[in-house]
Amino acid sequence: MSKIEKVLASGKTHTTLSSAGTTSRGHNGSVDIQLSSPGSTQPAHVFTAIQPHPTAEQLFSGAWSACFIAAVGLAAKQLNVELPADHAVDIEVDLGQTGQAYFLQARLTLRVPGLSEDTANALVHAADSICPYSKAIKGNIDVALNVLTA
């Protein structure tokens, strides 16, 4: 894979779970998405865009992080890990250029306060192997997986 020499645009989202469903928010307030899972009894998708309009990178990071946080829940069940109530997923997607070619790259951070570093790393890697978005981009873009346990 080619490394990006110059970042042209970035999209960042912070995704959480609550009894109302999954919520992804952009770092600058330009995207606020409430999502539901297929077959869920939760309300249909709600999308609120506030000026400036969200970028494609923000929309992609929001959809990916919503899928990823669900995969974290599945991975936690498989690994018998109790997730902290305030766990979250942050994804940053960059559009960049190397020479005349354009590429994407991403940084994904799983926030699991109170879990050990080893457990958090096991969760993020297990979720990465479950999440369909992660599978779709595997080998196509550079992705850094990170954890925050504090």
Side-chain angles (χ1 to χ4, degrees):
M1 285 185 274
S2 296
K3 297 287 183 191
I4 290 177
E5 293 174 353
K6 179 181 176 185
V7 173
L8 304 172
S10 294
K12 302 175 186 179
T13 55
H14 176 77
T15 300
T16 59
L17 289 175
S18 71
S19 59
T22 305
T23 302
S24 292
R25 289 196 166 83
H27 75 288
N28 64 358
S30 64
V31 66
D32 186 354
I33 306 170
Q34 293 179 358
L35 300 158
S36 60
S37 299
S40 173
T41 59
Q42 298 295 329
H45 303 323
V46 176
F47 174 76
T48 305
I50 306 163
Q51 291 292 337
H53 294 292
T55 65
E57 294 77 26
Q58 282 178 313
L59 292 173
F60 181 69
S61 66
W64 183 10
S65 63
C67 182
F68 198 88
I69 204 165
V72 168
L74 292 172
K77 285 180 184 174
Q78 290 175 355
L79 298 171
N80 294 317
V81 172
E82 175 120 5
L83 289 170
D86 56 349
H87 70 284
V89 172
D90 295 328
I91 296 184
E92 300 175 68
V93 175
D94 299 326
L95 168 65
Q97 194 172 10
T98 300
Q100 297 300 310
Y102 294 90
F103 299 96
L104 293 175
Q105 66 185 14
R107 290 164 305 288
L108 186 149
T109 302
L110 174 62
R111 296 175 179 269
V112 282
L115 291 185
S116 73
E117 189 91 10
D118 288 342
T119 300
N121 278 312
L123 271 175
V124 78
H125 287 283
D128 189 53
S129 70
I130 293 169
C131 177
Y133 279 78
S134 295
K135 290 178 185 179
I137 57 90
K138 195 165 295 300
N140 294 313
I141 70 171
D142 289 331
V143 178
L145 296 175
N146 304 298
V147 296
L148 287 176
T149 58

